[in-house]
Structure formats: structure tokens, C-alpha cells
């Protein structure tokens, strides 16, 4: 039978609650040592009082000068003492209870308390729920659950031993003192849990739990936790909620609205001041509309809304009277939205309002102290369903708010992408920091994954900073970071928006501005939750305003043999001058594979340094064009002798100049320009890391590509991508699809062995291969595909195998629209010819 302890209201007695078989609570009194036995009990052998009280009996083993008293030994001389502890799963380190608070209009309230140290040691929270009527106040709930928690965690030590008739007169609940040197017990109080008589009552087995009088003190450490006997601290005396901003930035984050002003000082110098707009909370001043009551259990549905999956939301409700004045917020209700659906809705049930309520408002947020209004002036009802309403820039009422304090600090580095990432480090290869100079400063993740985290720098190299504590959420390649001063400088104080104060007049430096709500005693909301907004002095924006053309951008392309060329992976070595980018320009240089193998050939050998090439027949390139010979790109600077002679620049577009033999095909590369638009500040968002643009460009083989971006100052430097290292000396887009010849049954040598095929349009070939279900034996199976009278490709299935080696289509003839394709079987196996042939032409 489990037992939990709850302290009475008007005196120092403790009520021991025991759960009976019918689930009801039985009650008996339990006290501390001084309260339970203030005078020496009859039959006690104690020589002196302990902690102001007398133990019912002192059991000792004679160590440390103590008398030998009452602890029996077994026949072999071993002690009967046994000490043990309950397993982790049976030792709650968290307790919660619900009650109605007399000081808060008898609203349903709850209280939970956890032993954080024990949870850290065990790696888990074990919850023990107390279901009891009659807890009258928040303060009583706090002290009762603190007692239960202490007794569960600190009292998880049990003693069992055998004694004689010396246990006569002792009862369950009595306190005894035990001295047992082997376990380091010296006059240690224990509370008797069980007394089990032995045969013929000659011996008695006592089971007891360790006891500590501190658990029974009137406050048990609660004076610092609960400032007064009510659910919430008094108005203006508790910790205020974090301050909210006044604008929503392009990346969806709430920020302060900042306006920079230049003023003239008394000595004639030019000073910089900022006006910071914020959203001060109301105090909940209605005397007619009381704080609403609602169920603490929200109902989450996977349908009926647009709330995304796998997140925890918090809700609060306020009542509004006929005059528009708002009450304080209700208890916060948590709603856990599971994974699996992005059409979730959340319903708040059990809404109850006082007679003076005209309507109600609903607030929602990701943490309980940062709630924003999602619904206003709702008609009085017993429930409310959130289908995914957009939050407004109106924070929930905060009776603790009295004013706001504002601070600033300067950034020491430009905003950078995290190109160097570690569990406790971050950096960028373009940084040039002085090693060790930034120790003691702060690094802040300002955008992307892990945003908002700050760490103190303990070491730095030219490119990387090491921080004092590992990241809670690891940054990634799309994360931006800055290094700033460690200390905040006080800027100003304001009760209403805006706040105005002076900042250093250091043009182009970036300053971080934060605001913290404070109560009447100037106790501020937590710094870790405070909003931080960045501002470039004299330039505006978020610290990354453009001052010139953008830098060179890296990029990538990909082709998946479906006719589509995809552009992606745009990145910059630094964010400077990237926020005003409005477009990106790709210039593609490629072969049109539908034109087939070039008939323009080198007329003579050319070594790697030769700049004049002779051709046969004449080519059609003009000065400025690019040509491709094998894996080299060349730039034509002049054309002579009617196109039979080119003057060229060798190893163009990051290709490698190489020797080429006479007869090598010479391809004139075609050029196509694509312009893609970007919204301003796009490259400061996490979305830029996953940007992809697709173009339908079938049947081309791209040799190289150029790319640059443009902002208000003009285009940036050009970046060249070279594709000569690819297997086919270029990146092929192809078209997608395939053509199949199929022959069922035993195979034999035969021309036109399968019905002919015809392509509806022209295609370049990806590859050609053959398969059989039953392999040839004794010799290989040979097939060829013809287009008219010309052989397109030939495949051989080796004896004993079922698949041929694929013939690469990079240099095969083009499949012409309307041409007839036929299949010939040139050879079959001699022992067994093979069976069920399929020849596939992938396009």
C-alpha cells in the first residue's frame, strides 16, 4: 500500500495518505521527530533528545562507543541488518497535482515539481501523480509536493533488521535511531514502515525508511520558490514575459522596428540615435471580466486545419468586458501536435467566463512566455478551435510588465556562412581573424539552423572560433554567424513605444539591439529569451546592406537523363553585398547532340601549345565562338582561309590544353543565356540553401557554364563551371524514355528478327544493351541495331551470362525522326542459343 504525505493547512501536523483497495484515501498523522515525540516515550532507551525530539528506541551495534542494543545476529554471527533502495522505475522524481486555488477565485490549477539533479543522474523523469481533494492553495500544493519529492528521492533508503521484545510498544510511523558502523549510520533517524513478529513472538523484524527532519520544516525551502500564498505573484512583482517586437522581417521573424536619426550634440558633433518600436503588453486591467477557466487538456485533431506536424504549442485565453478592457491570461494549455499530418487543428475545451465577459481573445506561442494573439473578440463559448490562425503582433497581457530596458553591443566581424562546423566550433574560410584576439567575445548564430544561439569564445584561429559549450542545435551550411562584444551597453528605458537612445556613430558597423521587459522592481525577463535585432549604422537593414557589386557566386548543375537541366547550390564566400541581388545569369555552352558527330575534323596533328589549327573541311565558327576538341575548350579569336584555319586561345574555361591527333572532331559550341529572378534578401534566408531552378533542355551536352549575379550596383564577377571531366566530356541532359526490341522463345540467327521500330522525333542515345532470360551456352549471343542500312550499335552477351555490356551512346548516331530501326541476330550460343531476348535503347 503506497503512502504519500501532505501537510495540513493550519498546524504543523502531516497527513499520511494511504490508498485503500477502493481507490479512496485513508489519513493518519505523521510528524517530524520533535513534533511527534517531544517527550521521551515510555520504553525508549534514548540517552538524549535528537533535533528537539526523542526517538522511540535507539538500535546500535556498539561501534563508535555506542552500546550494543537490540540488533540481532544470525546463528553464524552475521548481522540481520539489510539496507536497500527501490529501483529507478519505482522512485518518482517528478510529482504533479491539480487543485482549486482559494486565492485565485477557485480556478482549477495545477502544480508540478521535478528533482532536476536526480533526473540528470538517471537520465529520465519518473512521474508520480497525486490525486487528492482539499489542497486549498498554490502554496500548499508546492510544499506538499516538495515533501513528497524529497521523501521519494532523498528518502530512497530502507532498513530491515531483526530485534527482540525490545520492539514492544513501538508502532508503524514511530521514529527510531540506528547506529550501524558498517554502513556509516550514526544515530540516524528512520521511520518504521512495518513490524513483523516472528515465530512465537520471540523476534520481531522491523522495516523502516530513512528520515530527515528538514522535510517537515514549515517551508521546506519554499520561501524562495513561492513568494506568497497564491497562484501568481502580485501584480508588478513577478518575472515579466519577454518583450515583443513591432515588425515581421522578410524571413518571418518578429523584430524591433528601428529608425536611425542624426542629431547634433552640445559640442557640435554629430551623434547617432535610434528609435526602437516594440509592442508593450497590456496589464490585464478589467474589473468586470474575470480570468477565464478552461480545461488543461487540449484536443488535437489531424484534420480541419493547417497547423503543421511535430510541434508543441501553448495557448492562453483572456476575457474582455463591454468596455474593451481585458482580463489577465488564463492558465497556459499545452498542445502536442504529432507527426504525420500538416492539416492539424487544436480545440480548447471547458471554457468558462464570469458574468461581466463580453468576448474573449486567444493567444498562442511556441513557448509559454511568448504568446501572440491569434483570435480577438470571440463570442462567449465553451470551446475554441484553432485551425492555424496567423498570429498578430499583439502579446498576451502581462500584469508583471512595468517598463522595458534596451541595450546595444557592436559586432566584430561581418556576417558569414558557416562553412566550417563542429560540435563546439564554427567558422568560415574567408575570415581573417587575429588568432586568440576574440577570446571572451560572443559568437551568435543569426540566421538558419540553430538561430539565436550564443556562446562565449574560448579560442579562435584566423577562420574558426571555438566556444565554451557545445551547440544545442548544430549549425549547417545555410547558417549565418557573427562575432560580437560580450557585454551589453545600456541604451535607454521606455514604458511605451518607441524607445529612443544614443548608439555609437560608427558608420557601416553593425549594432545589435535588445530589449527586456522589467517589473516595478526593475527585475528583467530572461536575457536568453530576449529579442535581438541587428542594424547597420548609417546603412539600415539587418547588417548586410549592399555597398557595391555582389561577390562571385559558386553554383552547381545536375542532369538526370530526363531532358531537364537543374541549377542549384548557389553560395557566396561572404554575405556582404548579397542582400540586394535581384537576378542571376547563366550562360551555357553546349553541343546539340541531335546534330550528330561533327564532320569538321583537324587536318593535322596539334600539340598542347599550338594556337593555329587547320581543319578539313572548313568550319563555321566566328571570332568569339567557343569550340570543343575532345576534352579541351578553345576560344576562337580569328578565322582564316575561308574557315579552314582557326586562331585560338587554348585551355579556355578552366579546361586543360592537350595534344590532339589529326582527324579529331571539332565541335562549335552553341550558347544560351538564362536569367533567373531573386527576391531581395533571399540569400539571407535558409531557403536559399535549397534553391533549385529547372529548364527543359533535352539532347544537349554541356561543355561549360558561366554564372554571375546582379544587385543595384551592377553585376558581380563571373564564375565558370567546366564539365570536361565528365565521362562523356560534357554533361548530357538526354531526353528520357526508351525503345525495346523483344523476341520470345528460343533464339536463332536471323536478320530483321523483331518487328521494326520507328522514333516519332529525333533523339540522342544514352546507351544500348541486351538481356535474355536464359543465357546462351557454348558461344556468345551477338545482336546489332540498324537504322535503315546503317549499324547503330552492336551488343554481345557472353556465354553463360544474361546481360550484355551497355554500349555508351555518347558517340552513337542520332535516332532520326521517322527512321526505321531493325534488329539482327548475328550469332547465338552453340550448345544452347539462348531464350527470350530484349534489346533496350535508352534515350
Amino acid at each position: 500500500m503506497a503512502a504519500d504525505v501532505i501537510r495540513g493547512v493550519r498546524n504543523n501536523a502531516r497527513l499520511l495518505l494511504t490508498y485503500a483497495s477502493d481507490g479512496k484515501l485513508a489519513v493518519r498523522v505523521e510528524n517530524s521527530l520533535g513534533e511527534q515525540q517531544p517527550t521521551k516515550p515510555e520504553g525508549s532507551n534514548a540517552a538524549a533528545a535528537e533535533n528537539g525530539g526523542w526517538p522511540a528506541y535507539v538500535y546500535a551495534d556498539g561501534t563508535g562507543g555506542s552500546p550494543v542494543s537490540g540488533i540481532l545476529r544470525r546463528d553464524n554471527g552475521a548481522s540481520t541488518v539489510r539496507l536497500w533502495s527501490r529501483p529507478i522505475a519505482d522512485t518518482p522524481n517528478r510529482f504533479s497535482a491539480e487543485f482549486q486555488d482559494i486565492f485565485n477565485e477557485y480556478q482549477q490549477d495545477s502544480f508540478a515539481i521535478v528533482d532536476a539533479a536526480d533526473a540528470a543522474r538517471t537520465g529520465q523523469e519518473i512521474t508520480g501523480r497525486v490525486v487528492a481533494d482539499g489542497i486549498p492553495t498554490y502554496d500548499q500544493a508546492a510544499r506538499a509536493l516538495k515533501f513528497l519529492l524529497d521523501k521519494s528521492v532523498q528518502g530512497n533508503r530502507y532498513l530491515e533488521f531483526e530485534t527482540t521484545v525490545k520492539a514492544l510498544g513501538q508502532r508503524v510511523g514511530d521514529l527510531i535511531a540506528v547506529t550501524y558502523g558498517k554502513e556509516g549510520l550514526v544515530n540516524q533517524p528512520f521511520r518504521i514502515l512495518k513490524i513483523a513478529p516472528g515465530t512465537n513472538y520471540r523476534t520481531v523484524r522491523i522495516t523502516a525508511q530513512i528520515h530527515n527532519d528538514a522535510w517537515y520544516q514549515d517551508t521546506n525551502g519554499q520561501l524562495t520558490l513561492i513568494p506568497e500564498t497564491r497562484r501568481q505573484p502580485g501584480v508588478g512583482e513577478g518575472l515579466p514575459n519577454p518583450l515583443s517586437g513591432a515588425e515581421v522581417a522578410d524571413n518571418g521573424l518578429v523584430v524591433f522596428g528601428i529608425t536611425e536619426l542624426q542629431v547634433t550634440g552640445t559640442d557640435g558633433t554629430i551623434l547617432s540615435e535610434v528609435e526602437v518600436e516594440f509592442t508593450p503588453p497590456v496589464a490585464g486591467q478589467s474589473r468586470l471580466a474575470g480570468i477565464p477557466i478552461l480545461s488543461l487538456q487540449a484536443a488535437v485533431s489531424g484534420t480541419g486545419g493547417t497547423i503543421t506536424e511535430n510541434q508543441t504549442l501553448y495557448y492562453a485565453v483572456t476575457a474582455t468586458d463591454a468596455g474593451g478592457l481585458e482580463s489577465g491570461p488564463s492558465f497556459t494549455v499545452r498542445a502536442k501536435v504529432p507527426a504525420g499530418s500538416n492539416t492539424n487543428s487544436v480545440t480548447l475545451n471547458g471554457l468558462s467566463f464570469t458574468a461581466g465577459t463580453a468576448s474573449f481573445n486567444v493567444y498562442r506561442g511556441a513557448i509559454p512566455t511568448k504568446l501572440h494573439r491569434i483570435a480577438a473578440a470571440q463570442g462567449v463559448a465553451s470551446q475554441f478551435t484553432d485551425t492555424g490562425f496567423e498570429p498578430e503582433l499583439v502579446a498576451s497581457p502581462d500584469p508583471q510588465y512595468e517598463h522595458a530596458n534596451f541595450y546595444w553591443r557592436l559586432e566584430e566581424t561581418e556576417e558569414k556562412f558557416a562553412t566550417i562546423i563542429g560540435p563546439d566550433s564554427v567558422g568560415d574560410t574567408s575570415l581573417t581573424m587575429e588568432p586568440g584576439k576574440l577570446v571572451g567575445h560572443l559568437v551568435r548564430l543569426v540566421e538558419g539552423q540553430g538561430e539565436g544561439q550564443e556562446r562565449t569564445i574560448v579560442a579562435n584561429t584566423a577562420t574558426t572560433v571555438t566556444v565554451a559549450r557545445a551547440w544545442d542545435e548544430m549549425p549547417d551550411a545555410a547558417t549565418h554567424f557573427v562575432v560580437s562584444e560580450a557585454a551589453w551597453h545600456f541604451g535607454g528605458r521606455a514604458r511605451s513605444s518607441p524607445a529612443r537612445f544614443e548608439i555609437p556613430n560608427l558608420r557601416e558597423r553593425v549594432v545589435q539591439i535588445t530589449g527586456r521587459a522589467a517589473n516595478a522592481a526593475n527585475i528583467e525577463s530572461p536575457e536568453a529569451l530576449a529579442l535581438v535585432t541587428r542594424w547597420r549604422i548609417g546603412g539600415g537593414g539587418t547588417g548586410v546592406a549592399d555597398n557595391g557589386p555582389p561577390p562571385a557566386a559558386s553554383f552547381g548543375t545536375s542532369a538526370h537523363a530526363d531532358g531537364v537541366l537543374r541549377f542549384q547550390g548557389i553560395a557566396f564566400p561572404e554575405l556582404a553585398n548579397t542582400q540586394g541581388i535581384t537576378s542571376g545569369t547563366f550562360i551555357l555552352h553546349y553541343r546539340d547532340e541531335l546534330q550528330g558527330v561533327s564532320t569538321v575534323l583537324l587536318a593535322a596533328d596539334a600539340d598542347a601549345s599550338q594556337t593555329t589549327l587547320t581543319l578539313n573541311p572548313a568550319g563555321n565558327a566566328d571570332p568569339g565562338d567557343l569550340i570543343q576538341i575532345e576534352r579541351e575548350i578553345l576560344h576562337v579569336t580569328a578565322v582564316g582561309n575561308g574557315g579552314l584555319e582557326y586562331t585560338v586561345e587554348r585551355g579556355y574555361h578552366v579546361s586543360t590544353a592537350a595534344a590532339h591527333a589529326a582527324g579529331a572532331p571539332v565541335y562549335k559550341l552553341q550558347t544560351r543565356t538564362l536569367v533567373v529572378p531573386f527576391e531581395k534578401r533571399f540569400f539571407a534566408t535558409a531557403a536559399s540553401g535549397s534553391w533549385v531552378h529547372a529548364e527543359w533542355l533535352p539532347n544537349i551536352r554541356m561543355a561549360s557554364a558561366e554564372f554571375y549575379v546582379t544587385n543595384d550596383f551592377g553585376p558581380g564577377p563571373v564564375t565558370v563551371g567546366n564539365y570536361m571531366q565528365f565521362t562523356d566530356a560534357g554533361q548530357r541532359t538526354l531526353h528520357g524514355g526508351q525503345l525495346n526490341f523483344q523476341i520470345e522463345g528460343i533464339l536463332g540467327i536471323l536478320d530483321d528478327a523483331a518487328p521494326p521500330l520507328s522514333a516519332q522525333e529525333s533523339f540522342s542515345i544514352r546507351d544500348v544493351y541486351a538481356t535474355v532470360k536464359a543465357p546462351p551456352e557454348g558461344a556468345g549471343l551477338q545482336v546489332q541495331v540498324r537504322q535503315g542500312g546503317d549499324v547503330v550499335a552492336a551488343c554481345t552477351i557472353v556465354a553463360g551470362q544474361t546481360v550484355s555490356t551497355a554500349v555508351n551512346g555518347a558517340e552513337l548516331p542520332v535516332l532520326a525522326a521517322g527512321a526505321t530501326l531493325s534488329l539482327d541476330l548475328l550469332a547465338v550460343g552453340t550448345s544452347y542459343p539462348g531464350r527470350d531476348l530484349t534489346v533496350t535503347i535508352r534515350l
Side-chain angles (χ1 to χ4, degrees), residues 39-185:
T39 60
K40 185 175 180 179
E42 184 178 354
S44 174
N45 67 339
E50 293 285 340
N51 294 334
W54 293 82
Y57 204 87
V58 177
Y59 292 94
D61 62 352
T63 59
S66 66
V68 178
S69 178
I71 300 177
L72 291 181
R73 292 183 176 273
R74 305 185 191 280
D75 293 338
N76 60 2
S79 174
T80 59
V81 172
R82 181 173 74 94
L83 279 95
W84 80 95
S85 297
R86 292 175 295 171
I88 291 175
D90 194 31
T91 310
N93 53 25
R94 176 187 177 95
F95 284 92
S96 62
E98 293 187 359
F99 59 96
Q100 290 182 321
D101 194 340
I102 191 174
F103 295 105
N104 198 40
E105 301 177 341
Y106 291 100
Q107 293 190 78
Q108 188 70 21
D109 205 344
S110 65
F111 184 86
I113 188 170
V114 63
D115 189 317
D118 186 77
R121 286 192 299 269
T122 61
Q124 59 184 316
E125 288 186 7
I126 307 298
T127 300
R129 187 173 178 84
V130 178
V131 181
D133 292 331
I135 300 178
T137 66
Y138 187 76
D139 175 65
Q140 295 296 326
R143 286 185 281 178
L145 267 65
K146 180 65 164 59
F147 174 84
L148 293 177
L149 185 67
D150 289 344
K151 192 170 182 182
S152 174
V153 176
Q154 300 174 28
N156 188 19
R157 196 175 191 192
Y158 297 85
L159 171 73
E160 184 181 88
F161 64 91
E162 292 183 6
T163 185
T164 62
V165 294
K166 295 181 179 181
L168 184 66
Q170 296 166 30
R171 299 169 299 176
V172 172
D174 282 353
L175 293 169
I176 59 176
V178 177
T179 297
Y180 188 62
K182 185 177 180 180
E183 296 291 343
L185 302 178

Side-chain angles (χ1 to χ4, degrees), residues 741-755 770-777 779-784 795-804 823-839:
F741 289 100
Q742 289 185 324
I743 302 174
E744 296 183 355
I746 302 298
L747 304 175
I749 298 173
L750 183 65
D751 292 338
D752 296 326
T771 62
V772 290
K773 288 187 177 179
E777 300 292 343
L781 173 67
Q782 298 180 18
V783 299
Q784 68 178 15
C795 302
T796 299
I797 300 178
V798 178
Q801 302 294 319
T802 59
V803 182
S804 72
L823 177 68
D824 300 331
L825 270 67
L826 305 180
V828 296
T830 55
S831 299
Y832 182 80
R835 181 186 179 92
D836 297 334
L837 170 69
T838 299
V839 177

Side-chain angles (χ1 to χ4, degrees), residues 3 68 130 247 342 373 399 434 447 465 497 600 683 801:
V68 178
V130 178
E247 297 179 359
N342 288 322
R373 191 170 69 191
E434 182 177 339
E447 190 90 30
V465 297
S497 180
V600 179
F683 293 102
Q801 302 294 319

